[in-house]
Every structure is written in C-alpha cells, then in structure tokens.
C-alpha cells in the first residue's frame, strides 16, 4: 500500500515499520495499529473516564471484572441470538467479555486489559469531549458538562407531593432494575 502512494522503501525499512506497528504480530498493519502508534498513549482525562467505566463493571470493587459482574450489568434479553434461542445468556456474555480479554483469556478482565481495549477505541476518536460523551453514554455514567453530558441514563417523570412534576435522571443506571411495567419508584 505504501508503494501505491509513492513511498519508496527498502525491504529492510518495510520490515522495520511492520515490526514497530504490528502489535498483534499477524504480519500486517491494521488501521487501528497504525493510528494507535501515531497517537501514542492515552491522556489523563481519557484514562480517568475508562477507569470510571471499569468501576461500573467491577460490581464488588475487587479490581477484577468477572462473568458474574458482567451478568449484573449487561441485559441480554434484547440480543437477537438470545431471542432466537441460538445462544444462551452465558454464551452471549462470554462472547461480550472476549472483546476486553486482550492479554489473557481467563474469564477475568483486568483494568490493564480494559484500558488496552479502549486505547484502540480512543485512537479512532480525536476529540476528548467526544470520547467523554461516548464513554458516559456507553456505560450510563451520569455527569459531564455541555455536549459531554450523559444522555442515556433513564429519566422519569416525578410527581411531587405538591402536584408539580419534573423529569429526574436515575443516576448511573447501568444494571439498575425497574418493575415489570418499566416504572422506577423514587421516594
């Protein structure tokens, strides 16, 4: 591809580039590998947001995310393979977890593996504000300012004792349950 764009590199130079960029060692340079190498490390803001998302999954706070943790956060009931009966809840959740198991496939996702996964995502997002919005919305993390503010947390219409009504956000609603009709009671 480089030759197609007029770059005249020797075989030794091409080998050196592939060795540097090819982090998964498949003999090719993917777009994400290229972007990731060019962009470098995650800044503190992005690292902090990724850690917030990881904490959403690490339900017991022990520093690891297990199948049990993901089951509490991820509802597969609307997944097409679950609805059709092609896959069980456990199969879907295990498949979902595999995306983060970038270092060792053992049913446990460490913060390093989670961070590694989001380095690839981050490499394709050049704006820190947009990265924040993406993380907050994907993981239902309340907060953010301006256009970075979360928009996916459930909102409910609350009727106050005086009869006035207001829309109230259910903060950090990932994994929170509602009743069978979809109502959440707020006292």
């Amino acid at each position: 591809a480089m030759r197609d764009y007029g770059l005249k590199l020797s075989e030794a130079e091409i080998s050196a580039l592939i060795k540097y960029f090819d982090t998964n060692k498949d003999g090719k340079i993917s777009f994400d590998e290229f972007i990731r190498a060019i962009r470098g490390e995650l800044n503190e803001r992005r690292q902090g947001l990724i850690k917030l998302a990881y904490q959403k999954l690490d339900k017991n706070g022990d520093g690891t995310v297990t199948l049990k943790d993901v089951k509490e956060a991820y509802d597969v009931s609307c997944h097409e393979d679950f609805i059709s009966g092609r896959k069980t809840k456990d199969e879907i959740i295990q498949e979902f977890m595999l995306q983060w198991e970038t270092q060792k496939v053992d049913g446990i996702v460490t913060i390093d593996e989670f961070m590694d996964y989001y380095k690839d995502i981050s490499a394709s997002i050049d704006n820190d504000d947009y990265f924040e919005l993406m993380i907050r919305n994907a993981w239902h993390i309340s907060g953010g300012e301006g256009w970075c503010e979360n928009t996916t947390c459930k909102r409910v219409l609350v009727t106050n004792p005086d009869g006035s009504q207001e829309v109230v956000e259910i903060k950090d609603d990932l994994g929170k349950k509602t009743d069978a009709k979809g109502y959440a009671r707020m006292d």
Side-chain angles (χ1 to χ4, degrees), residues 38-101:
I38 299 264
R39 290 236 172 109
E41 294 300 312
L42 291 166
N43 63 34
E44 285 185 35
R45 180 177 176 190
R46 291 184 185 210
Q47 287 181 34
L49 289 162
I50 294 166
K51 288 175 185 174
L52 276 175
Y54 188 80
Q55 291 167 359
K56 292 290 167 202
L57 281 176
D58 182 12
K59 296 296 185 182
N60 63 6
D62 69 354
T64 62
V65 171
T66 63
L67 187 64
K68 182 181 178 201
D69 291 322
V70 176
K71 280 182 182 179
E72 289 182 38
Y74 183 40
D75 177 14
V76 304
S77 64
C78 294
H79 192 287
E80 66 180 68
D81 288 339
F82 182 76
I83 293 168
S84 70
R86 285 189 297 263
K87 293 182 182 174
T88 66
K89 180 178 183 175
D90 284 348
E91 289 171 331
I92 293 167
I93 289 174
Q94 286 171 345
E95 188 177 281
F96 185 59
M97 282 184 69
L98 279 177
Q99 67 187 327
W100 303 311
E101 297 216 70

Side-chain angles (χ1 to χ4, degrees), residues 164-180:
S164 65
Q165 293 183 327
E166 62 182 317
V167 175
V168 177
E169 175 187 353
I170 299 175
K171 302 280 185 194
D172 301 321
D173 69 347
L174 186 70
K176 289 187 179 174
K177 306 292 185 224
T178 56
D179 68 17

